[in-house]
Amino acid sequence: MSSRVANGLRLLASLLSVVVLLAGVAAGWFYFKLRASRPQLDGAAHIAGLAAGVTIERDALGVPTIRGANRLDGARALGWLHAQERFFQMDLQRRRAAGELAELVGASALPLDKETRLHGFRALARTALERATPAERALAEAYAAGVNAGLTALGEKPFEYLMLRTPPSPWRPEDCGLMGFAMTLDLQSGVVAEERLLATLKDTLGGEALAFFAPTAGPRDAALDGSTAPLPAIPSVQAINLRRPQPAPVEVTSFVADRTEVEYPGSNSFALAGAHTANGAGLLANDMHLRLGVPNIWYRAVLVWPEAGVERRVAGVTLPGVPFMIAGSNGRVAWGFTNSHTDASDLIVVQTGISPDIYRAPNREQQPQMEVRHETIAVKGQAPVTMDYRWTIWGPVIGADDKGHPIAQRWVAHEPEALNFGLWAMETVDNTAAALAVAHRAGITPQNILVADTAGEIAWTIAGRLPKRVGYDGRVPSIWTFGDRHWDGLIAPDDIPVVRGNATDGRLWTANNRIVGGAARAALGDGGYDDAMRAAQIRDDLKPLERARPKDLLAVQLDDRALALGRWRDLLLTALAPAATAEKKERAEFRRLVEGWDARASVESVGYRLVRTWRGAVAKRALDPIFATCVEADPTFSWARLSYEEPLWAMLSAKPIHLLSPRETSWETLLVAAVDDVIMSLEKIGTPLARATWGRRNTVKIQHPLARVLPAWLSGWLSMPADELPGDSNMPRVQGVSFGASERFVVSPGHEAEGIFHMPGGQSGHPLSPFYRAGHAAWARGEPTSFLPGKTEHMMTLQP
């Protein structure tokens, strides 16, 4: 080896050594900072404003029991804990609602901020705080003080801010209200798209198509009041005729497995009256299905304080950023939520006048001019961006229709009454009647709420506010110019529908489906109810239960039987007749694997995945040609957002030739061709049929918000295990790749020690905390763990 080469290698080795040394120093520095930011678990800390000392006991999962001299001290302590364990999560949520993410993470978040800032949620949160009662305002202020004290008490700022090189901003009392709007944006993210979808369907294919493909009720609905409706008639040949010669052939994209289902946030809740439980009290189960991330959205806690000579105790889940319990049990009443999919938003076609900013409005002698609201968005590393938003008397202009008319949005979220701190009162209600009264006045995103009390009573209603519509149903955009269509304020609390357990044989259930029919349904509106398959399975699971205990309702929560796909499997086996399987050996293998399915969405099931994927392939072949003109009119149109199960099945049963694409020779050959589509799509991703298990498809991905911008090894360290999990969206055990049960609990008020609780991820958002993953494995495996905290493992005190 020449001396030049040797010298070069020595130089390279020296440079690599320096790089390794610097990397080691950087890693050591980061680890030192990371350790310094760990939450405090033992000892003492100080918070100004406490009336007396507060004790915090944590069990092996990190679930705290907070004991204070009064509820305000409990709020300060809860805020302190939230800041120590979850501040970055809280910060992202408030910034998401306020349209202030770009200030923290840079220009990549600017498009989202522009979209959100339109709504002015920070000003609305400030208004909600001003309108709050003195006690509610004191609660928010005490909580905010606790948050800032907890943040300051950390030895170093949370690690995410080290990565972003941005200091955290203090928490303000109004930020508690922003958390409510963050949930609104999550749970009602599709309200505008839903209405535009139906408008495109109606405008392009007509009223018959709207009625058939988007019915307001169906023959297999699982409403609490038992209401059903026959499916409207299949659109006539005059309305839709795919066999009519077309000026150009309809382009249909190739099938890609598992992409025909739209994942929506959803939830289950169900309850049994005392007549059907072992202890005589009501029994409530709740699993709220949301996008899953690290840390989990909920933070478990128990709050204990004296009040008027009585010890108050409430246990359940809190939302970091909010000073009170969201769902759980107070010893007398238990309550839980599911997204109601009621209609809280309308789109209005604005008729402009002599100028694009002058528009026609009812009962106005002079045409009003649009208000322009200016917003300045701070952007990390860049100059601020100024946005101008046009507002009408109804709400902000969010776009235009195909004729260029401005479209304004009237949304309950913009109303001052939409947000308040009224849900706090659930912590101290004594019975179902009092709980319903609280729900009707609560300022939250409209939700189904189920309540159960110690006397054995159960009830359902809507928590949150909804509009009182006059002159229209709100399903598609309408013109409000003449005053015959409008909102007559919000529905009065006393007019909100209620269903009590004695009207349903002591059994109640909700699964984002339509809950009531008739005039009640008309009042609540239709915000895109889920198909009834999941709700029906829960209803039927509850029917035989007597002397039920928490484990019985947990079994319902974990029910992964594929009842909704049973008829599809039968149809598939019929389609794969001997003549079809003889043509291709892959079809014969397909049939053999489907014949051997276990009728569950189990991780090892190949048959379940094949049937599910085939259903999607059939839908694509049948529906793509029908809705091609809708996509041409609006490229964002997606028939997958429709609840198309019943309409599609009706088409496959009736076999209307005018709704069959010319590329298909018959409905029977369409079914076989869909099998070939599935086979080909799996081949493209290198998955042999025999190895196409549901678990390989349903492998969860639960990541930290910064995972996308971090190296793979660091992202993997921050993420939860990539487990193959059973369940799917059309059964009680809802589970997808990135969504699922954000918690599962079953509890009987007054018998909390018998209750069950699960949660993905852990209590802490700090990766060095012993509670970062604690409890996650039990959630993944469906193993029962206690609703109440276990033995105390850590204890600390907060002193004034």
Side-chain angles (χ1 to χ4, degrees), residues 771-797:
F771 312 129
Y772 188 68
R773 293 180 175 85
H776 178 81
W779 169 84
R781 293 193 292 262
E783 297 173 352
T785 54
S786 177
F787 180 81
L788 292 179
K791 178 185 175 183
T792 298
E793 300 287 340
H794 299 273
M795 179 180 286
M796 65 174 298
T797 59

PDB file of all heavy atoms in Angstrom, residues 771-797:
ATOM      1  N   PHE A 771     -44.141   5.076  32.425  1.00  0.00           N
ATOM      2  CA  PHE A 771     -45.546   5.001  32.017  1.00  0.00           C
ATOM      3  C   PHE A 771     -45.752   5.331  30.542  1.00  0.00           C
ATOM      4  O   PHE A 771     -46.876   5.536  30.105  1.00  0.00           O
ATOM      5  CB  PHE A 771     -46.385   5.959  32.870  1.00  0.00           C
ATOM      6  CG  PHE A 771     -46.111   5.851  34.346  1.00  0.00           C
ATOM      7  CD1 PHE A 771     -45.826   6.979  35.099  1.00  0.00           C
ATOM      8  CD2 PHE A 771     -46.112   4.617  34.969  1.00  0.00           C
ATOM      9  CE1 PHE A 771     -45.565   6.885  36.446  1.00  0.00           C
ATOM     10  CE2 PHE A 771     -45.857   4.503  36.333  1.00  0.00           C
ATOM     11  CZ  PHE A 771     -45.579   5.635  37.074  1.00  0.00           C
ATOM     12  N   TYR A 772     -44.667   5.357  29.766  1.00  0.00           N
ATOM     13  CA  TYR A 772     -44.791   5.719  28.353  1.00  0.00           C
ATOM     14  C   TYR A 772     -45.576   4.668  27.572  1.00  0.00           C
ATOM     15  O   TYR A 772     -46.365   5.002  26.687  1.00  0.00           O
ATOM     16  CB  TYR A 772     -43.396   5.882  27.749  1.00  0.00           C
ATOM     17  CG  TYR A 772     -43.373   6.432  26.344  1.00  0.00           C
ATOM     18  CD1 TYR A 772     -43.757   7.747  26.084  1.00  0.00           C
ATOM     19  CD2 TYR A 772     -42.947   5.653  25.268  1.00  0.00           C
ATOM     20  CE1 TYR A 772     -43.718   8.272  24.793  1.00  0.00           C
ATOM     21  CE2 TYR A 772     -42.894   6.164  23.983  1.00  0.00           C
ATOM     22  CZ  TYR A 772     -43.296   7.474  23.751  1.00  0.00           C
ATOM     23  OH  TYR A 772     -43.246   7.993  22.473  1.00  0.00           O
ATOM     24  N   ARG A 773     -45.361   3.389  27.905  1.00  0.00           N
ATOM     25  CA  ARG A 773     -46.066   2.298  27.224  1.00  0.00           C
ATOM     26  C   ARG A 773     -46.906   1.464  28.189  1.00  0.00           C
ATOM     27  O   ARG A 773     -47.541   0.494  27.771  1.00  0.00           O
ATOM     28  CB  ARG A 773     -45.073   1.388  26.504  1.00  0.00           C
ATOM     29  CG  ARG A 773     -44.370   2.054  25.330  1.00  0.00           C
ATOM     30  CD  ARG A 773     -43.406   1.080  24.657  1.00  0.00           C
ATOM     31  NE  ARG A 773     -42.820   1.670  23.462  1.00  0.00           N
ATOM     32  CZ  ARG A 773     -41.741   2.447  23.460  1.00  0.00           C
ATOM     33  NH1 ARG A 773     -41.138   2.709  24.616  1.00  0.00           N
ATOM     34  NH2 ARG A 773     -41.279   2.963  22.341  1.00  0.00           N
ATOM     35  N   ALA A 774     -46.914   1.836  29.456  1.00  0.00           N
ATOM     36  CA  ALA A 774     -47.578   1.010  30.467  1.00  0.00           C
ATOM     37  C   ALA A 774     -49.066   0.858  30.169  1.00  0.00           C
ATOM     38  O   ALA A 774     -49.779   1.851  30.025  1.00  0.00           O
ATOM     39  CB  ALA A 774     -47.373   1.623  31.854  1.00  0.00           C
ATOM     40  N   GLY A 775     -49.521  -0.364  30.073  1.00  0.00           N
ATOM     41  CA  GLY A 775     -50.927  -0.652  29.793  1.00  0.00           C
ATOM     42  C   GLY A 775     -51.236  -0.895  28.337  1.00  0.00           C
ATOM     43  O   GLY A 775     -52.314  -1.408  28.012  1.00  0.00           O
ATOM     44  N   HIS A 776     -50.312  -0.558  27.440  1.00  0.00           N
ATOM     45  CA  HIS A 776     -50.594  -0.693  26.010  1.00  0.00           C
ATOM     46  C   HIS A 776     -50.819  -2.155  25.608  1.00  0.00           C
ATOM     47  O   HIS A 776     -51.727  -2.460  24.824  1.00  0.00           O
ATOM     48  CB  HIS A 776     -49.453  -0.107  25.184  1.00  0.00           C
ATOM     49  CG  HIS A 776     -49.646  -0.258  23.705  1.00  0.00           C
ATOM     50  ND1 HIS A 776     -50.445   0.585  22.970  1.00  0.00           N
ATOM     51  CD2 HIS A 776     -49.177  -1.190  22.821  1.00  0.00           C
ATOM     52  CE1 HIS A 776     -50.449   0.207  21.702  1.00  0.00           C
ATOM     53  NE2 HIS A 776     -49.695  -0.873  21.589  1.00  0.00           N
ATOM     54  N   ALA A 777     -49.994  -3.057  26.153  1.00  0.00           N
ATOM     55  CA  ALA A 777     -50.103  -4.467  25.767  1.00  0.00           C
ATOM     56  C   ALA A 777     -51.463  -5.041  26.145  1.00  0.00           C
ATOM     57  O   ALA A 777     -52.047  -5.830  25.392  1.00  0.00           O
ATOM     58  CB  ALA A 777     -48.978  -5.275  26.416  1.00  0.00           C
ATOM     59  N   ALA A 778     -51.997  -4.630  27.302  1.00  0.00           N
ATOM     60  CA  ALA A 778     -53.314  -5.119  27.713  1.00  0.00           C
ATOM     61  C   ALA A 778     -54.389  -4.637  26.749  1.00  0.00           C
ATOM     62  O   ALA A 778     -55.329  -5.379  26.422  1.00  0.00           O
ATOM     63  CB  ALA A 778     -53.623  -4.657  29.132  1.00  0.00           C
ATOM     64  N   TRP A 779     -54.265  -3.401  26.286  1.00  0.00           N
ATOM     65  CA  TRP A 779     -55.222  -2.880  25.293  1.00  0.00           C
ATOM     66  C   TRP A 779     -55.150  -3.685  24.012  1.00  0.00           C
ATOM     67  O   TRP A 779     -56.189  -4.078  23.444  1.00  0.00           O
ATOM     68  CB  TRP A 779     -54.913  -1.411  25.006  1.00  0.00           C
ATOM     69  CG  TRP A 779     -55.648  -0.849  23.837  1.00  0.00           C
ATOM     70  CD1 TRP A 779     -56.909  -0.336  23.816  1.00  0.00           C
ATOM     71  CD2 TRP A 779     -55.161  -0.739  22.476  1.00  0.00           C
ATOM     72  NE1 TRP A 779     -57.251   0.090  22.546  1.00  0.00           N
ATOM     73  CE2 TRP A 779     -56.196  -0.146  21.706  1.00  0.00           C
ATOM     74  CE3 TRP A 779     -53.963  -1.070  21.849  1.00  0.00           C
ATOM     75  CZ2 TRP A 779     -56.054   0.111  20.352  1.00  0.00           C
ATOM     76  CZ3 TRP A 779     -53.830  -0.820  20.487  1.00  0.00           C
ATOM     77  CH2 TRP A 779     -54.870  -0.235  19.759  1.00  0.00           C
ATOM     78  N   ALA A 780     -53.925  -3.962  23.537  1.00  0.00           N
ATOM     79  CA  ALA A 780     -53.762  -4.681  22.276  1.00  0.00           C
ATOM     80  C   ALA A 780     -54.314  -6.102  22.378  1.00  0.00           C
ATOM     81  O   ALA A 780     -54.922  -6.611  21.428  1.00  0.00           O
ATOM     82  CB  ALA A 780     -52.287  -4.711  21.883  1.00  0.00           C
ATOM     83  N   ARG A 781     -54.115  -6.750  23.524  1.00  0.00           N
ATOM     84  CA  ARG A 781     -54.556  -8.134  23.691  1.00  0.00           C
ATOM     85  C   ARG A 781     -55.995  -8.242  24.189  1.00  0.00           C
ATOM     86  O   ARG A 781     -56.547  -9.339  24.254  1.00  0.00           O
ATOM     87  CB  ARG A 781     -53.621  -8.856  24.662  1.00  0.00           C
ATOM     88  CG  ARG A 781     -52.207  -9.044  24.130  1.00  0.00           C
ATOM     89  CD  ARG A 781     -51.431 -10.025  24.992  1.00  0.00           C
ATOM     90  NE  ARG A 781     -51.154  -9.494  26.322  1.00  0.00           N
ATOM     91  CZ  ARG A 781     -49.996  -8.934  26.680  1.00  0.00           C
ATOM     92  NH1 ARG A 781     -49.009  -8.823  25.786  1.00  0.00           N
ATOM     93  NH2 ARG A 781     -49.810  -8.488  27.898  1.00  0.00           N
ATOM     94  N   GLY A 782     -56.591  -7.117  24.581  1.00  0.00           N
ATOM     95  CA  GLY A 782     -57.951  -7.154  25.093  1.00  0.00           C
ATOM     96  C   GLY A 782     -58.050  -7.758  26.475  1.00  0.00           C
ATOM     97  O   GLY A 782     -59.098  -8.282  26.857  1.00  0.00           O
ATOM     98  N   GLU A 783     -56.985  -7.665  27.248  1.00  0.00           N
ATOM     99  CA  GLU A 783     -56.975  -8.229  28.594  1.00  0.00           C
ATOM    100  C   GLU A 783     -57.596  -7.236  29.578  1.00  0.00           C
ATOM    101  O   GLU A 783     -57.266  -6.052  29.565  1.00  0.00           O
ATOM    102  CB  GLU A 783     -55.544  -8.560  29.030  1.00  0.00           C
ATOM    103  CG  GLU A 783     -54.874  -9.621  28.174  1.00  0.00           C
ATOM    104  CD  GLU A 783     -53.412  -9.808  28.520  1.00  0.00           C
ATOM    105  OE1 GLU A 783     -52.870  -9.008  29.325  1.00  0.00           O
ATOM    106  OE2 GLU A 783     -52.812 -10.749  27.975  1.00  0.00           O
ATOM    107  N   PRO A 784     -58.470  -7.709  30.454  1.00  0.00           N
ATOM    108  CA  PRO A 784     -59.115  -6.781  31.402  1.00  0.00           C
ATOM    109  C   PRO A 784     -58.132  -6.225  32.419  1.00  0.00           C
ATOM    110  O   PRO A 784     -57.340  -6.960  32.998  1.00  0.00           O
ATOM    111  CB  PRO A 784     -60.178  -7.659  32.076  1.00  0.00           C
ATOM    112  CG  PRO A 784     -59.705  -9.065  31.886  1.00  0.00           C
ATOM    113  CD  PRO A 784     -58.963  -9.092  30.597  1.00  0.00           C
ATOM    114  N   THR A 785     -58.157  -4.929  32.595  1.00  0.00           N
ATOM    115  CA  THR A 785     -57.418  -4.266  33.656  1.00  0.00           C
ATOM    116  C   THR A 785     -58.405  -3.375  34.405  1.00  0.00           C
ATOM    117  O   THR A 785     -59.476  -3.065  33.906  1.00  0.00           O
ATOM    118  CB  THR A 785     -56.247  -3.423  33.110  1.00  0.00           C
ATOM    119  OG1 THR A 785     -56.753  -2.517  32.119  1.00  0.00           O
ATOM    120  CG2 THR A 785     -55.189  -4.300  32.466  1.00  0.00           C
ATOM    121  N   SER A 786     -58.027  -2.942  35.594  1.00  0.00           N
ATOM    122  CA  SER A 786     -58.973  -2.286  36.492  1.00  0.00           C
ATOM    123  C   SER A 786     -59.331  -0.875  36.048  1.00  0.00           C
ATOM    124  O   SER A 786     -58.477  -0.118  35.566  1.00  0.00           O
ATOM    125  CB  SER A 786     -58.397  -2.238  37.906  1.00  0.00           C
ATOM    126  OG  SER A 786     -59.263  -1.555  38.781  1.00  0.00           O
ATOM    127  N   PHE A 787     -60.597  -0.528  36.249  1.00  0.00           N
ATOM    128  CA  PHE A 787     -61.052   0.836  35.982  1.00  0.00           C
ATOM    129  C   PHE A 787     -60.433   1.816  36.971  1.00  0.00           C
ATOM    130  O   PHE A 787     -60.119   2.959  36.615  1.00  0.00           O
ATOM    131  CB  PHE A 787     -62.585   0.888  36.075  1.00  0.00           C
ATOM    132  CG  PHE A 787     -63.190   2.235  35.822  1.00  0.00           C
ATOM    133  CD1 PHE A 787     -63.379   2.698  34.533  1.00  0.00           C
ATOM    134  CD2 PHE A 787     -63.576   3.048  36.878  1.00  0.00           C
ATOM    135  CE1 PHE A 787     -63.931   3.951  34.289  1.00  0.00           C
ATOM    136  CE2 PHE A 787     -64.135   4.291  36.658  1.00  0.00           C
ATOM    137  CZ  PHE A 787     -64.310   4.748  35.361  1.00  0.00           C
ATOM    138  N   LEU A 788     -60.254   1.388  38.210  1.00  0.00           N
ATOM    139  CA  LEU A 788     -59.650   2.235  39.238  1.00  0.00           C
ATOM    140  C   LEU A 788     -58.153   1.971  39.331  1.00  0.00           C
ATOM    141  O   LEU A 788     -57.690   0.872  38.983  1.00  0.00           O
ATOM    142  CB  LEU A 788     -60.304   1.978  40.596  1.00  0.00           C
ATOM    143  CG  LEU A 788     -61.764   2.419  40.744  1.00  0.00           C
ATOM    144  CD1 LEU A 788     -62.261   2.069  42.138  1.00  0.00           C
ATOM    145  CD2 LEU A 788     -61.922   3.917  40.477  1.00  0.00           C
ATOM    146  N   PRO A 789     -57.380   2.936  39.812  1.00  0.00           N
ATOM    147  CA  PRO A 789     -55.947   2.710  39.982  1.00  0.00           C
ATOM    148  C   PRO A 789     -55.682   1.568  40.964  1.00  0.00           C
ATOM    149  O   PRO A 789     -56.480   1.284  41.866  1.00  0.00           O
ATOM    150  CB  PRO A 789     -55.433   4.043  40.539  1.00  0.00           C
ATOM    151  CG  PRO A 789     -56.479   5.044  40.181  1.00  0.00           C
ATOM    152  CD  PRO A 789     -57.775   4.304  40.169  1.00  0.00           C
ATOM    153  N   GLY A 790     -54.516   0.935  40.780  1.00  0.00           N
ATOM    154  CA  GLY A 790     -54.118  -0.131  41.675  1.00  0.00           C
ATOM    155  C   GLY A 790     -53.290   0.388  42.835  1.00  0.00           C
ATOM    156  O   GLY A 790     -53.414   1.555  43.251  1.00  0.00           O
ATOM    157  N   LYS A 791     -52.431  -0.468  43.361  1.00  0.00           N
ATOM    158  CA  LYS A 791     -51.597  -0.140  44.513  1.00  0.00           C
ATOM    159  C   LYS A 791     -50.718   1.072  44.219  1.00  0.00           C
ATOM    160  O   LYS A 791     -50.176   1.222  43.127  1.00  0.00           O
ATOM    161  CB  LYS A 791     -50.721  -1.338  44.856  1.00  0.00           C
ATOM    162  CG  LYS A 791     -49.764  -1.110  46.003  1.00  0.00           C
ATOM    163  CD  LYS A 791     -48.854  -2.323  46.195  1.00  0.00           C
ATOM    164  CE  LYS A 791     -47.801  -2.057  47.255  1.00  0.00           C
ATOM    165  NZ  LYS A 791     -46.857  -3.204  47.394  1.00  0.00           N
ATOM    166  N   THR A 792     -50.578   1.948  45.192  1.00  0.00           N
ATOM    167  CA  THR A 792     -49.757   3.152  45.025  1.00  0.00           C
ATOM    168  C   THR A 792     -48.286   2.777  44.891  1.00  0.00           C
ATOM    169  O   THR A 792     -47.726   2.074  45.744  1.00  0.00           O
ATOM    170  CB  THR A 792     -49.942   4.102  46.216  1.00  0.00           C
ATOM    171  OG1 THR A 792     -51.314   4.511  46.268  1.00  0.00           O
ATOM    172  CG2 THR A 792     -49.053   5.336  46.065  1.00  0.00           C
ATOM    173  N   GLU A 793     -47.670   3.244  43.821  1.00  0.00           N
ATOM    174  CA  GLU A 793     -46.250   3.017  43.578  1.00  0.00           C
ATOM    175  C   GLU A 793     -45.430   4.289  43.746  1.00  0.00           C
ATOM    176  O   GLU A 793     -44.227   4.231  44.050  1.00  0.00           O
ATOM    177  CB  GLU A 793     -46.042   2.470  42.156  1.00  0.00           C
ATOM    178  CG  GLU A 793     -46.750   1.157  41.880  1.00  0.00           C
ATOM    179  CD  GLU A 793     -46.088  -0.022  42.586  1.00  0.00           C
ATOM    180  OE1 GLU A 793     -44.908   0.109  42.969  1.00  0.00           O
ATOM    181  OE2 GLU A 793     -46.764  -1.059  42.762  1.00  0.00           O
ATOM    182  N   HIS A 794     -46.033   5.431  43.531  1.00  0.00           N
ATOM    183  CA  HIS A 794     -45.358   6.727  43.665  1.00  0.00           C
ATOM    184  C   HIS A 794     -46.307   7.686  44.362  1.00  0.00           C
ATOM    185  O   HIS A 794     -47.511   7.694  44.089  1.00  0.00           O
ATOM    186  CB  HIS A 794     -44.963   7.290  42.298  1.00  0.00           C
ATOM    187  CG  HIS A 794     -44.007   6.429  41.534  1.00  0.00           C
ATOM    188  ND1 HIS A 794     -42.647   6.511  41.684  1.00  0.00           N
ATOM    189  CD2 HIS A 794     -44.241   5.467  40.600  1.00  0.00           C
ATOM    190  CE1 HIS A 794     -42.069   5.631  40.880  1.00  0.00           C
ATOM    191  NE2 HIS A 794     -43.018   4.990  40.205  1.00  0.00           N
ATOM    192  N   MET A 795     -45.753   8.519  45.239  1.00  0.00           N
ATOM    193  CA  MET A 795     -46.562   9.514  45.923  1.00  0.00           C
ATOM    194  C   MET A 795     -45.790  10.817  46.010  1.00  0.00           C
ATOM    195  O   MET A 795     -44.583  10.837  46.277  1.00  0.00           O
ATOM    196  CB  MET A 795     -46.952   9.058  47.325  1.00  0.00           C
ATOM    197  CG  MET A 795     -47.787  10.100  48.097  1.00  0.00           C
ATOM    198  SD  MET A 795     -48.236   9.566  49.755  1.00  0.00           S
ATOM    199  CE  MET A 795     -49.494   8.368  49.354  1.00  0.00           C
ATOM    200  N   MET A 796     -46.499  11.897  45.766  1.00  0.00           N
ATOM    201  CA  MET A 796     -45.894  13.209  45.921  1.00  0.00           C
ATOM    202  C   MET A 796     -46.945  14.181  46.437  1.00  0.00           C
ATOM    203  O   MET A 796     -48.153  13.893  46.426  1.00  0.00           O
ATOM    204  CB  MET A 796     -45.304  13.707  44.607  1.00  0.00           C
ATOM    205  CG  MET A 796     -46.295  13.966  43.491  1.00  0.00           C
ATOM    206  SD  MET A 796     -45.476  14.704  42.053  1.00  0.00           S
ATOM    207  CE  MET A 796     -44.860  16.248  42.761  1.00  0.00           C
ATOM    208  N   THR A 797     -46.491  15.316  46.896  1.00  0.00           N
ATOM    209  CA  THR A 797     -47.394  16.351  47.390  1.00  0.00           C
ATOM    210  C   THR A 797     -47.116  17.663  46.670  1.00  0.00           C
ATOM    211  O   THR A 797     -45.962  17.961  46.315  1.00  0.00           O
ATOM    212  CB  THR A 797     -47.238  16.564  48.907  1.00  0.00           C
ATOM    213  OG1 THR A 797     -45.883  16.948  49.185  1.00  0.00           O
ATOM    214  CG2 THR A 797     -47.567  15.293  49.665  1.00  0.00           C
TER     215      THR A 797
END
